[in-house]
């Protein structure tokens, strides 16, 4: 129930859900529950669930889609994939599903070659024995548990992924590595979960193609269960962390469940910057979030990390923000520039009840970093406090349409109408403390030309460059109202 608030609308939604044979309705917490809602739920048998504040509806949809997609794969009465009986070598006497490594070994035996199961990013989820029979690319993949980046690019340029994801049958790929590959996409419904890759000597026979296709259905079940379990765990951590960071009556219990005691801690907020597409940012965000959790766990065992609304938040026990800044800097240095991430750091909270204020600090610092108002990649609010105030003031001016008149707006209007650069001249002069040769060099003009422009801008704007208050006001307005592109 996105956007459903109040007891009356919730009760109406329960009645509508019952007509659709729904099991439950989900509304944003805190849900308005009164006698009307209780009666509707009791009468229809439809449960009312509350979505934790700060949680994403998109994540809820993804979790439910993962759970429901199990039916799309096809289950028989024993819980095994349909058509995957003992003929594929992947079944067991008890009907229990084997682990993913056992499935990889079974497929390797069927295809007579080493096998890997990979996610969509080329990360190895499981692999079979006999990997020493592969080529150098396969060995490097197993050692790193990740397909090398240059191999992924080569496969993409070769059109391998296009062929793989368009077909529901195995594809044969040669000319990319020393040895050919046979691969098949792993699907659940219309969603691609990953792929199975085998090193082979020749194209597969029809029987082996069928075996690989059937095995892919079993792998799909494992990947769905794996992802559902990961999603549930992440959602639980995110719910608890969101409760702690937002405060309120449930915060102490949530903090205790996360293992946070009364010791001091601060909040770190990490985000991905850059102009990549939304799916790429989400995938990169998930990887860097997992990496941050691992990095912080090595620093302190009581760290808590989760992603909320596209931002990864971490609670790091510490008595000072200096160690937190060093930890953030070390993590970003290890990640390198290939992942354009920035981290804002909040003040130290003496106890969990004060963590919401630390989160506010971290969010404000993160905002400055994301918009490129500083050259650093990790910062405390104290480090970027002035830039944060300017950003807040800019928002207020834009929101209230409160753009003042004065020398700088007059200069901008004149430049726009006459194609001059008087505003740029003023900014250069102020930035160089009135040093005309240095300012002229900054804007690439002769000092005499710069002096003429300086005189002209005072005539147009009425700005008194000898008055300290006028200079300060001009500097402030230049920063609050950057030139429009």
């Amino acid at each position: 129930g996105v956007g459903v608030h109040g007891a009356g609308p919730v009760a109406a939604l329960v009645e509508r859900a019952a007509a659709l044979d729904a099991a439950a309705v989900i509304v944003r917490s805190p849900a308005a529950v009164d006698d009307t809602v209780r009666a509707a739920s009791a009468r229809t048998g439809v449960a009312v669930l509350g979505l934790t504040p700060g949680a994403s509806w998109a994540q809820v949809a993804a979790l439910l889609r993962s759970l429901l997609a199990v039916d799309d794969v096809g289950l028989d009465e024993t819980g095994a994939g349909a058509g995957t009986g003992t003929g594929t070598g992947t079944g067991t006497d008890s009907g229990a599903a084997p682990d993913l490594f056992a499935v990889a070994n079974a497929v390797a035996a069927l295809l007579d070659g080493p096998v890997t199961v990979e996610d969509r990013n080329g990360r190895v989820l499981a692999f079979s024995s006999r990997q020493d029979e592969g080529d150098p690319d396969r060995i490097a993949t197993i050692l790193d548990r990740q397909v090398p980046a240059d191999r992924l690019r080569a496969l993409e340029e070769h059109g391998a992924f296009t062929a793989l994801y368009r077909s529901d049958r195995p594809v044969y790929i040669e000319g990319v590595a020393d040895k050919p590959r046979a691969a098949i996409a792993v699907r659940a419904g219309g969603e691609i979960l990953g792929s199975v890759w085998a090193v082979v000597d020749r194209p597969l026979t029809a029987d082996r193609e069928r075996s690989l296709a059937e095995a892919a259905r079993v792998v799909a079940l494992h990947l769905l269960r794996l992802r559902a379990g990961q999603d549930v765990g992440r959602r639980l951590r995110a719910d608890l962390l969101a409760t702690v960071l937002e405060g309120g009556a449930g915060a102490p219990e949530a903090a205790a469940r996360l293992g946070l005691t009364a010791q001091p801690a601060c909040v770190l907020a990490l985000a991905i910057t850059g102009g990549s597409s939304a799916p790429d940012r989400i995938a990169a965000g998930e990887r860097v979030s997992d990496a941050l959790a691992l990095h912080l766990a090595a620093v302190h065992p009581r760290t808590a990390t989760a992603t909320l609304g596209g931002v990864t938040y971490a609670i790091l026990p510490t008595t000072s923000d200096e160690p937190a800044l060093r930890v953030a800097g070390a993590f970003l240095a290890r990640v390198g520039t290939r992942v354009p991430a920035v981290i804002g750091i909040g003040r130290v909270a003496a106890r969990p009840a004060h963590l919401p204020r630390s989160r506010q600090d971290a969010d404000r610092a993160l905002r400055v970093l994301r918009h490129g108002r500083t050259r650093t990649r990790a910062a405390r609010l104290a480090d970027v406090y002035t830039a944060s105030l300017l950003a807040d003031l800019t928002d207020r001016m834009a929101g209230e349409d409160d753009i003042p008149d004065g020398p700088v707006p007059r200069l901008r209007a004149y430049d726009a109408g006459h194609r001059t650069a008087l505003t740029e001249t003023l900014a250069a002069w102020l930035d160089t403390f009135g040093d005309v040769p240095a300012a002229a060099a900054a804007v690439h003009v002769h000092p005499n030309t710069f002096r003429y422009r300086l005189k002209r801008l005072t005539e147009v704007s009425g700005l008194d460059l000898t008055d300290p208050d006028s200079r300060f006001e001009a500097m402030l307005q230049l920063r609050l109202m950057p030139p429009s592109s």
Side-chain angles (χ1 to χ4, degrees):
V2 181
V4 178
H5 305 285
V10 171
L13 183 60
V14 169
E15 298 287 354
R16 182 180 176 188
L20 298 173
D21 293 330
V25 298
I26 306 173
V27 294
R28 178 75 68 178
S29 292
V33 177
D34 63 4
D35 291 341
T36 304
V37 176
R38 293 189 185 93
S41 179
R43 181 172 60 257
T44 62
V46 175
V48 178
L49 308 178
L51 177 62
T52 300
S56 165
W57 284 108
Q59 290 171 315
V60 174
L63 174 59
L64 294 176
R65 190 161 50 244
S66 297
L67 296 172
L68 295 173
V70 171
D71 291 335
D72 294 334
V73 177
L75 299 176
D76 60 20
E77 294 180 356
T78 67
T84 60
T86 55
T88 65
T90 59
T92 62
D93 293 340
S94 63
D99 64 39
L100 202 53
F101 284 86
V103 174
N105 276 317
V107 177
L110 289 169
L111 303 184
D112 193 26
V115 167
T116 58
V117 179
E118 303 169 9
D119 66 12
R120 292 202 59 171
N121 296 315
R123 185 177 59 177
V124 177
L125 304 177
F127 56 89
S128 70
S129 58
R130 301 173 55 185
Q131 296 296 331
D132 56 316
E133 300 176 14
D135 50 27
D137 288 337
R138 170 53 66 84
I139 293 174
T141 297
I142 297 300
L143 291 176
D144 292 340
R145 299 296 292 268
Q146 170 73 47
V147 180
D150 59 337
R151 291 298 89 198
L152 288 174
R153 286 194 298 270
L155 288 167
E156 186 173 358
E157 293 171 357
H158 189 73
F161 290 118
T162 301
L164 182 66
Y165 295 149
R166 284 181 177 176
S167 174
D168 58 357
R169 303 297 302 170
V171 297
Y172 180 71
I173 302 166
E174 60 181 345
V176 179
D178 290 350
K179 293 185 177 182
R181 303 287 196 270
I184 188 171
V186 177
R187 289 181 169 84
E191 183 179 3
I192 297 174
L193 305 176
S195 52
V196 179
W197 294 75
V199 177
V200 294
D201 294 326
R202 62 185 65 87
L204 300 181
T205 64
D207 288 341
R208 286 183 172 179
E209 279 198 1
R210 281 194 299 272
S211 296
L212 183 54
E214 291 172 354
R217 296 165 64 86
V218 179
V219 172
L221 287 172
H222 282 278
L223 297 190
L224 282 171
R225 289 166 182 157
L226 176 65
R227 190 175 69 175
Q230 290 175 338
D231 285 346
V232 168
R234 286 182 176 178
R235 185 70 261 150
L236 176 59
R237 290 194 303 273
D239 289 346
L240 294 174
L241 195 66
T243 302
V244 171
L245 295 181
E246 293 182 2
E253 180 183 354
R257 294 182 65 182
L258 287 172
L260 301 173
T261 60
Q263 60 184 318
C266 71
V267 176
L268 278 62
L270 177 147
I272 300 295
T273 62
S276 58
S277 63
D280 289 341
R281 283 198 303 273
I282 292 173
E286 290 177 353
R287 291 195 297 269
V288 78
S289 177
D290 292 341
L292 179 63
L294 184 62
H295 183 80
L296 294 180
V299 175
H300 197 289
R302 291 297 184 183
T303 56
T305 308
T307 300
L308 303 171
V311 176
T312 297
Y313 291 99
I315 299 176
L316 176 64
T318 180
T319 57
S320 170
D321 57 10
E322 283 288 348
L325 183 61
R326 290 195 298 269
V327 168
F331 172 75
L332 292 174
R334 179 171 295 182
V335 170
T337 56
R338 59 187 175 84
V339 178
V342 291
I343 298 178
I345 302 166
R347 72 184 68 183
V348 174
R351 49 184 180 272
H354 297 162
L355 285 170
R357 183 61 183 273
S358 182
R359 178 198 182 176
Q360 293 175 7
D361 290 353
D363 282 337
R364 292 180 63 186
L366 182 66
R367 181 189 178 199
V368 173
L369 296 169
R370 294 177 79 171
H371 288 81
R373 293 177 178 266
T374 179
R375 296 180 180 179
T376 60
R377 298 179 64 193
R380 300 161 295 189
L381 178 59
D383 301 326
V384 293
Y385 187 70
T386 301
S388 176
L389 288 178
L390 291 176
D392 293 341
L393 188 54
T394 301
D395 284 349
R396 176 185 169 185
M397 292 169 59
E400 299 177 1
D401 195 20
D402 185 20
I403 307 299
D405 190 14
V408 172
R410 284 197 291 272
L411 280 181
R412 293 192 189 282
Y414 186 87
D415 285 341
H418 297 80
R419 296 186 178 181
T420 54
L422 299 184
T423 308
E424 180 189 39
T425 301
L426 174 61
W429 186 81
L430 292 171
D431 289 344
T432 57
F433 301 99
D435 187 335
V436 172
V443 295
H444 309 292
V445 298
H446 192 276
N448 289 340
T449 303
F450 190 89
R451 290 187 181 92
Y452 170 78
R453 291 182 180 180
L454 200 62
K455 179 182 178 181
R456 182 62 183 149
L457 75 85
T458 60
E459 295 171 351
V460 171
S461 66
L463 180 63
D464 182 4
L465 296 179
T466 65
D467 179 43
D469 289 338
S470 297
R471 293 197 302 268
F472 173 76
E473 182 178 349
M475 293 177 68
L476 183 60
Q477 289 193 9
L478 285 170
R479 283 162 173 75
L480 291 176
M481 298 178 292
S484 57
S485 56

